[in-house]
């Protein structure tokens, strides 16, 4: 279950730590991750955790408890507070920690952008939480916010997401499920093929005119042109909202 997982006293993370277990690091990390730490609390946390106040940090928010690393081969150092991990990055930057979490099967998880110190961990935690919202249920994917920014924008504002879905895809949603699935699937493949009708036709194993006709029908239903940049953006964001809505059930 996704939740603010730093609350309460927690047990210090060690190699092969179970995220979500009780860890005393949480008493120091909690105010930092909440974004409410005062300067003296930042200094005390740095001293207690043996970490520099300034450095290249990232935050990971996991969707479920998992066995997680305490360190990586490139020198990264982890501290865990429930299902929220703080990593002081090593030589390899974010790639090492993301890879180690993936290898441990620790997902789903969202990873923040890199921040410049312990005082910025509150912001990093919020951004990592936004990345987690883009993960499908039951998956083990570990995703960075920067690779999911448009979807995170949609996922983090559910009321706007619902409005966008209704406004853009409303007429599409009342179609028979089979027809809706056909049109949405064609749009997805066309986007994955970089807007090439010919390549999409090969992927879908149909004539290019069939792809073209499906896309034109979708344009008529949504009143959005796929050749108009602003309207294409609305369509793609609405597609993200549709995927998220389906994932949430």
């Amino acid at each position: 279950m996704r939740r603010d997982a730093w609350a309460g006293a927690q047990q210090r993370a060690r190699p092969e730590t179970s995220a979500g277990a009780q860890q005393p690091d949480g008493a120091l990390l909690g105010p930092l991750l909440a974004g409410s730490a005062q300067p003296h609390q930042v200094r005390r946390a740095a001293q207690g955790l043996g970490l520099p106040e300034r450095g290249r940090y990232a935050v990971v928010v996991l969707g479920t408890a998992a066995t997680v690393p305490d360190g990586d081969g490139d020198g990264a150092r982890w501290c865990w507070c429930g299902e929220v991990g703080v990593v002081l990055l090593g030589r390899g930057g974010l790639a090492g920690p993301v890879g180690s979490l993936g290898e441990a099967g620790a997902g789903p998880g969202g990873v923040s952008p890199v921040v410049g110190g312990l005082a910025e961990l509150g912001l990093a935690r919020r951004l990592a939480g936004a990345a987690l919202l883009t993960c499908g249920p039951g998956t083990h994917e570990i995703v960075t916010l920067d690779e999911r920014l448009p979807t995170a924008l949609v996922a983090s504002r559910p009321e706007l997401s619902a409005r966008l879905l209704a406004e853009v895809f409303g007429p599409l949603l009342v179609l028979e499920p089979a027809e809706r699935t056909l049109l949405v699937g064609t749009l997805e493949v066309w986007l994955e093929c970089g807007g090439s009708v010919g390549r999409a036709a090969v992927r879908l194993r149909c004539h290019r005119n069939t792809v073209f006709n499906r896309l034109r029908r979708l344009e008529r239903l949504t009143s959005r042109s796929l050749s108009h940049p602003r309207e294409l953006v609305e369509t793609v964001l609405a597609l993200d909202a549709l995927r998220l809505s389906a994932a949430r059930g």
Side-chain angles (χ1 to χ4, degrees):
M1 179 174 64
R2 297 169 190 177
R3 61 184 183 272
D4 292 337
W6 67 81
Q10 319 276 341
Q11 178 184 344
R12 186 175 181 86
R14 294 181 175 88
E16 299 298 310
T17 296
S18 176
Q22 293 297 325
Q23 304 157 4
D25 286 352
L28 296 171
L29 287 174
L32 301 179
L33 293 169
S36 59
Q38 300 300 311
H40 73 276
Q41 292 175 301
V42 175
R43 290 191 296 271
R44 185 173 64 188
Q47 293 169 0
L49 297 169
L51 295 172
E53 286 189 47
R54 300 296 302 172
R56 298 176 66 245
Y57 288 94
V59 170
V60 176
V61 179
L62 298 180
T64 59
T67 300
V68 294
D70 187 50
D72 290 301
D74 70 348
R77 295 174 58 192
W78 289 90
C79 291
W80 286 91
C81 184
E83 293 156 15
V84 181
V86 174
V87 56
L88 174 63
L89 298 174
R91 297 180 300 276
L94 276 176
V98 170
S100 64
L101 287 170
E103 291 169 5
V111 184
S112 75
V114 178
V115 296
L118 293 176
E120 300 173 55
L121 293 185
L123 170 63
R125 197 220 68 89
R126 293 193 298 274
L127 295 177
L132 176 61
L133 291 175
T134 72
C135 296
T139 69
H140 290 283
E141 58 185 345
I142 303 293
V143 301
T144 64
L145 177 68
D146 289 346
E147 66 185 284
R148 295 283 181 90
L149 275 172
T151 308
L153 284 170
V154 174
S156 61
R157 296 296 299 274
E159 70 283 1
L160 292 182
S161 174
R163 180 59 188 166
L164 176 68
L165 181 58
E167 176 65 19
V168 178
F169 277 178
L172 193 67
L173 299 178
V174 300
L175 297 177
E176 290 295 324
E179 184 178 7
R180 180 172 65 247
T181 298
L182 181 67
L183 295 179
V184 170
T186 300
L187 174 63
E188 289 176 326
V189 171
W190 178 76
L191 290 169
E192 290 168 3
C193 291
S196 169
V197 170
R199 288 168 54 198
V202 172
R203 284 268 304 273
L204 294 167
R205 298 183 179 181
C206 64
H207 195 278
R208 57 180 292 123
N209 285 346
T210 301
V211 175
F212 183 82
N213 289 336
R214 291 175 187 172
L215 295 176
R216 296 292 81 78
R217 174 156 170 69
L218 189 141
E219 286 183 319
R220 290 193 297 272
L221 286 167
T222 62
S223 299
R224 264 81 176 173
S225 170
L226 297 177
S227 61
H228 190 290
R230 185 178 295 276
E231 293 178 3
L232 176 60
V233 168
E234 291 180 348
T235 301
V236 172
L237 291 177
L239 182 60
D240 279 335
L242 180 63
R243 290 170 179 154
L244 292 168
S245 176
R248 291 167 181 161

